[in-house]
Amino acid sequence: MQSFTYHMPVETVFGAGRIAELGERMHPTWKRVLIVSDKGISENTDHVDRVRASLKDGKALLFDAVEENPSFETLEQGSAWSRDLGIDVVIGLGGGSPMDAAKGIALLARNSGTMKSYMDGEPLENDPLPVICIPTTSGTGSEVTPFAIFTDQQEGSKRGYAHNGIFPSLSIIDPELTYTMPEKVVRDTGMDALTHAMEAYLSLDTFPMNDLLAVDAIRLCVENLEPAVQKDKNAMGEMACAAMFAGAAIAHASTILLHIMGYPLTVFHNVPHGRANAALLPSFMSFMKTKSTVREKVEYLETLFESKGGIDAFVRSMGIATRLSDYGVEESELENFVKKVIVKGDVKITPAEITEEVILELYRSTL
Ligand code: NAP
Ligand code: ZN
């Protein structure tokens, strides 16, 4: 008998041009609006103008200092602005970095501790401010997750925070906002969506209803990532959908060992988040095929890539290097990588026996 809890409290609006509906969907008490974004989006696209144009009074303040893989310092700065300006609602406009930063800023604006203290388990004093997510990449799925990932620059690690209070209240996924992505961002973020779906499907926390989302996300990525990288608009729309499905799947089953193994590549070698996961995907999947407790699920996943010649061939066809040495990683760093990985709880929901030695061997085999 199945037993599961499916909780998805995000009002999710999907479709080309639907950014125009933002204003009419805002709660009447959301008067002072803060847009959280990055400089590239605010200076090189008209996305901020489109958000403002849809609001009834056309007004929203802009905090565009978010860097890739946002730091605690950025959250402190944004939340200080929010408090000083009396902000009622925070809009995350961008890829995962601005969307996650919006969640962190909304949380700190109403709570007096540090992000680090809440990540270490301190309970929130108050509900975070409401968050609206408007993705401009098709990857993280942050628009439908209760997660936010931040970089602890002092400790040299990426850490995830999960709390139902940071589920966005509203997400508008308008594929038109993704058309301005450079090709490599389409590819890297698309591989992030793909690995989310594959990891959610293999996670010990998944359940058959969740698998429906994960498998369809994988199908959409396999069919559409290549044309999306070539900027085919229909395929880019399908990738926006895939990223959202995969996000809903990880909201319930989380990512597993692959994602946390990718974090040190990003922190120490600046490899973009999605590419880090993709680089490790072939060796992770061959490990899962021989050592996991869900081998029949691994075999099923392989069938989804038959039209592309298999998982390895698909990754290679995206022009993604799958040796760590290609990213400048050296053998002497691997033990430190393992230390950064093993502390994370996601290891527990990976369906295989995972020890420090196993992770070290996996990294070594990918060197
Ligand atoms: P990102 O860091 O948000 O964006 C990468 C780059 O893409 C940006 O520097 C930006 O360049 C550019 N960009 C984004 N949208 C664009 C557009 N429409 N047009 C032109 N350029 C655009 O990348 P991401 O992969 O979406 O997010 C990664 C972050 O999300 C990581 O911190 C990761 O850990 C986190 N994440 C969160 C979750 C979750 O559930 N919350 C899940 C997975 C990953 P410019 O600077 O030039 O604008
Ligand atoms: Zn990811």
Side-chain angles (χ1 to χ4, degrees):
M1 182 79 73
Q2 292 188 37
S3 170
F4 61 85
T5 303
Y6 186 86
H7 178 65
M8 181 46 65
V10 185
E11 181 183 349
T12 309
V13 177
F14 182 94
R18 296 195 68 185
I19 185 71
E21 292 174 32
L22 173 64
E24 69 201 56
R25 291 179 181 278
M26 299 275 285
H27 196 275
T29 59
W30 297 347
K31 293 202 166 68
R32 288 183 78 80
V33 179
L34 182 71
I35 300 173
V36 172
S37 194
D38 66 44
K39 280 256 165 0
I41 288 173
S42 68
E43 289 174 4
N44 305 329
T45 74
D46 67 353
H47 300 346
V48 173
D49 295 338
R50 289 187 73 180
V51 167
R52 285 196 173 120
S54 77
L55 297 174
K56 290 210 168 75
D57 62 1
K59 286 189 194 147
L61 298 145
L62 175 65
F63 176 78
D64 63 359
V66 180
E67 69 277 56
E68 276 186 52
N69 309 297
S71 63
F72 293 148
E73 290 72 17
T74 302
L75 306 182
E76 297 290 344
Q77 206 189 337
S79 58
W81 272 45
S82 296
R83 280 190 299 270
D84 292 350
L85 299 166
I87 294 299
D88 301 311
V89 62
V90 183
I91 298 181
L93 172 70
S97 298
M99 290 192 285
D100 285 1
K103 293 174 176 178
I105 288 169
L107 184 152
L108 293 180
R110 305 267 328 262
N111 290 278
S112 59
T114 60
M115 196 65 226
K116 196 169 183 329
S117 67
Y118 297 121
M119 283 177 146
D120 288 339
E122 195 181 308
L124 299 183
E125 302 123 59
N126 301 300
D127 289 338
L129 288 173
V131 172
I132 297 172
C133 280
I134 304 177
T136 66
T137 62
S138 297
T140 70
S142 183
E143 63 272 18
V144 288
T145 72
F147 309 137
I149 322 285
F150 302 116
T151 298
D152 184 336
Q153 288 175 331
Q154 278 169 356
E155 287 196 12
S157 63
K158 282 189 76 155
R159 296 181 64 187
Y161 178 73
H163 193 287
N164 279 349
I166 58 167
F167 260 122
S169 303
L170 167 67
S171 282
I172 300 193
I173 302 135
D174 182 339
E176 288 181 0
L177 301 189
T178 70
Y179 297 163
T180 51
M181 273 191 282
E183 286 170 21
K184 74 177 179 46
V185 177
V186 180
R187 182 196 59 197
D188 293 342
T189 56
M191 290 305 287
D192 189 28
L194 176 66
T195 53
H196 287 170
M198 292 174 76
E199 289 175 74
Y201 181 72
L202 297 174
S203 163
L204 290 176
D205 277 353
T206 196
F207 45 89
M209 179 185 168
N210 205 47
D211 290 348
L212 296 174
L213 288 163
V215 168
D216 209 43
I218 296 166
R219 180 188 66 77
L220 287 168
C221 290
V222 171
E223 284 173 14
N224 294 289
L225 186 52
E226 204 181 325
V229 170
Q230 287 153 13
K231 308 302 281 281
D232 175 284
K233 288 185 177 166
N234 189 53
M236 291 184 90
E238 299 286 49
M239 284 306 300
C241 197
M244 185 258 287
F245 283 6
I250 61 169
H252 295 91
S254 192
T255 50
I256 55 175
L257 181 65
L258 173 61
H259 250 63
I260 50 181
M261 283 186 69
Y263 289 162
L265 289 184
T266 300
V267 174
F268 299 115
H269 291 273
N270 288 323
V271 182
H273 172 70
R275 202 180 324 160
N277 301 322
L280 292 162
L281 181 64
S283 44
F284 177 72
M285 289 307 288
S286 63
F287 167 73
M288 294 304 281
K289 193 169 180 184
T290 51
K291 296 283 173 7
S292 81
T293 54
V294 292
R295 276 170 235 178
E296 62 307 325
K297 286 189 107 177
V298 177
E299 278 161 20
Y300 177 65
L301 284 185
E302 287 177 333
T303 67
L304 301 176
F305 291 83
E306 268 165 9
S307 64
K308 304 289 174 186
I311 295 171
D312 297 22
F314 182 72
V315 174
R316 274 199 308 275
S317 73
M318 289 293 137
I320 291 169
T322 54
R323 310 272 14 136
L324 295 184
S325 48
D326 293 326
Y327 299 95
V329 177
E330 291 181 8
E331 162 97 42
S332 57
E333 295 175 84
L334 297 181
E335 286 195 10
N336 186 41
F337 278 21
V338 173
K339 281 205 200 89
K340 301 289 174 199
V341 166
I342 199 76
V343 291
K344 311 281 166 61
D346 296 3
V347 169
K348 289 199 213 107
I349 53 168
T350 303
E353 199 184 331
I354 307 293
T355 61
E356 290 198 20
E357 291 70 35
V358 166
I359 300 173
L360 188 60
E361 194 38 52
L362 241 177
Y363 274 133
R364 279 213 181 104
S365 69
T366 316
L367 199 61

